[in-house]
């Protein structure tokens, strides 16, 4: 089986700051990979590179066998055009720490927006699918609510439904519960857990170690722009072999 996501020797620099220093990783179809690590270790940057929000300086990144941002012909790489990049991005859903919903649109309109505007799909069929998605995230009764009328946890669940509306092959989550009040975290993690059970391939940056232990197939611990340790949750969270992993876990657990 080929990995759905594969990174080979990924390097990313911001000016003179080396943020990713040779990252290798694989995520198989239907796997959930949790990325943990201290602030500033490069976790968000890695997700942003997968989703074309940043361009890598060296290495290769594949999603579903396609080289991200490039076309390969023989030994040569050609940069993709804007349109082709948009095509690759469409297959990847991303949920951020901040919900970024369109404030002037209802929950249902937020979910419908991309399929209708970007993919030019039929409004009626998108509406039906979007209602099903709101139902799936437990918000069937909130379709007419505006973001300001929803709690942070509800907004984040709308954001998940909105990403799913584009029927992505891969979902990226960047600390999706970090901005939420503690009592709202569980509902969002519950939706993510269900999504994982339904077979979605997911990369989740999170500090929720309990979630990582229960849901992740693999955990990557990043520090200083490298993957220090990788393995099953039992290995990395339960019985880490590196001192850096142990001291990080001692701080977050
Ligand atoms: P994490 O998500 O693990 O906290 P980030 O990927 O956000 O880490 O950031 C890694 C490092 O890269 C940090 O030192 C951060 O300040 C730096 N960085 C991230 N984005 C940019 C940017 N656009 N320009 C300059 N530096 C950046
Ligand atoms: Mg981050």
């Amino acid at each position: 089986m080929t990995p759905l996501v594969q990174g080979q020797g990924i390097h990313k620099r911001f000016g003179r700051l080396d943020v990713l220093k040779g990252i290798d990783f694989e995520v198989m179809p239907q796997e959930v990979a949790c990325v943990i690590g201290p602030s500033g270790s490069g976790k968000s940057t890695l997700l942003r590179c997968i989703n074309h929000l940043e361009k890598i300086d060296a290495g290769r990144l594949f999603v579903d066998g396609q080289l991200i941002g490039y076309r390969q012909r023989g030994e040569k790489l050609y940069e993709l055009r804007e349109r082709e990049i948009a095509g690759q991005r469409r297959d990847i859903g991303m949920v951020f720490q901040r919900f970024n919903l369109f404030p002037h649109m209802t929950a249902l309109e937020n979910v419908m927006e991309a399929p209708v505007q970007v993919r030019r799909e039929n409004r009626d069929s998108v509406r039906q699918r979007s209602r099903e998605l709101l139902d799936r995230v437990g918000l069937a009764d909130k379709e007419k609510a505006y973001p300001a009328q929803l709690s942070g946890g509800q907004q984040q669940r709308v954001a998940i439904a909105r990403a799913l509306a584009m029927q992505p092959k891969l979902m990226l989550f960047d600390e999706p519960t970090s901005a939420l009040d503690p009592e709202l975290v569980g509902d969002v993690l519950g939706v993510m857990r269900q999504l994982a059970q339904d077979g979605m391939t997911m990369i989740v940056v999170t500090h929720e170690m309990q979630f990582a232990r229960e849901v992740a197939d693999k955990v990557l611990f990043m520090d200083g722009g490298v993957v220090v340790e990788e393995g099953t949750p039992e290995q990395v969270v339960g019985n880490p072999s590196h001192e850096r992993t142990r001291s990080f876990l001692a701080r977050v657990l």
Side-chain angles (χ1 to χ4, degrees):
M1 203 166 26
T2 43
L4 188 80
V5 192
Q6 187 173 34
Q8 300 172 342
I10 297 166
H11 283 260
K12 177 67 191 174
R13 233 172 272 116
F14 289 113
R16 293 168 65 183
L17 184 66
D18 259 332
V19 176
L20 301 178
K21 304 174 189 165
I23 303 267
D24 297 298
F25 73 101
E26 281 182 4
V27 183
M28 302 305 283
Q30 309 205 323
E31 252 186 358
V32 177
C34 282
V35 182
I36 61 172
S39 176
S41 56
K43 306 179 300 294
S44 294
T45 303
L46 180 62
L47 287 195
R48 293 169 61 82
C49 289
I50 298 171
N51 201 22
H52 303 260
L53 296 170
E54 303 287 353
K55 232 165 123 182
I56 61 177
D57 296 307
R60 281 177 191 193
L61 197 43
F62 297 88
V63 174
D64 203 17
Q66 281 189 45
L67 194 54
I68 286 289
Y70 297 91
R71 183 184 314 101
Q72 190 163 16
R73 226 178 266 138
E75 287 293 287
K76 279 202 162 166
L77 292 184
Y78 298 89
E79 280 192 37
L80 293 185
R81 295 186 197 137
E82 213 48 50
R83 274 184 85 165
E84 300 167 304
I85 287 176
Q88 286 187 340
R89 283 196 71 187
R90 234 167 269 165
D91 290 335
I92 304 171
M94 185 147 174
V95 175
F96 299 88
Q97 186 173 342
R98 297 260 156 221
F99 335 116
N100 305 317
L101 296 178
F102 303 115
H104 58 291
M105 291 183 191
T106 64
L108 183 65
E109 286 163 355
N110 264 281
V111 179
M112 290 177 62
E113 177 68 9
V116 170
Q117 296 302 327
V118 179
R119 263 201 327 222
R120 304 276 165 210
E121 282 184 64
N122 174 278
R123 213 165 228 292
D124 291 331
S125 62
V126 173
R127 184 178 297 109
Q128 186 180 339
R129 195 167 84 228
S130 300
R131 286 198 167 121
E132 285 164 13
L133 286 168
L134 283 176
D135 187 35
R136 196 163 156 196
V137 301
L139 294 173
D141 56 336
K142 296 289 182 191
E143 66 166 70
K144 293 200 175 74
Y146 286 88
Q149 300 167 317
L150 298 171
S151 74
Q154 290 170 334
Q155 289 183 55
Q156 193 61 305
R157 285 184 280 149
V158 175
I160 294 171
R162 185 176 61 172
L164 292 174
M166 290 294 274
Q167 298 168 309
K169 293 175 187 160
L170 169 69
M171 285 285 285
L172 308 175
F173 292 88
D174 193 357
E175 299 196 32
T177 59
S178 297
L180 299 178
D181 293 333
E183 74 272 21
L184 304 176
V185 167
D187 287 340
V188 173
L189 292 180
V191 165
M192 292 168 62
R193 189 186 305 257
Q194 187 59 52
L195 198 54
Q197 274 165 15
D198 293 343
M200 178 60 77
T201 310
M202 300 167 41
I203 304 179
V204 184
V205 174
T206 187
H207 293 295
E208 297 288 339
M209 292 303 141
Q210 194 56 36
F211 177 84
R213 284 189 103 137
E214 288 169 20
V215 180
D217 297 293
K218 67 168 66 157
V219 175
L220 289 86
F221 170 67
M222 284 180 68
D223 194 10
V226 299
V227 176
V228 174
E229 184 160 355
E230 180 190 336
T232 64
E234 299 81 66
Q235 289 167 339
V236 178
V237 184
N239 188 22
S241 49
H242 289 255
E243 179 47 37
R244 282 154 88 183
T245 319
R246 279 197 286 271
S247 66
F248 169 75
L249 289 170
R251 274 178 280 137
V252 297
L253 284 175

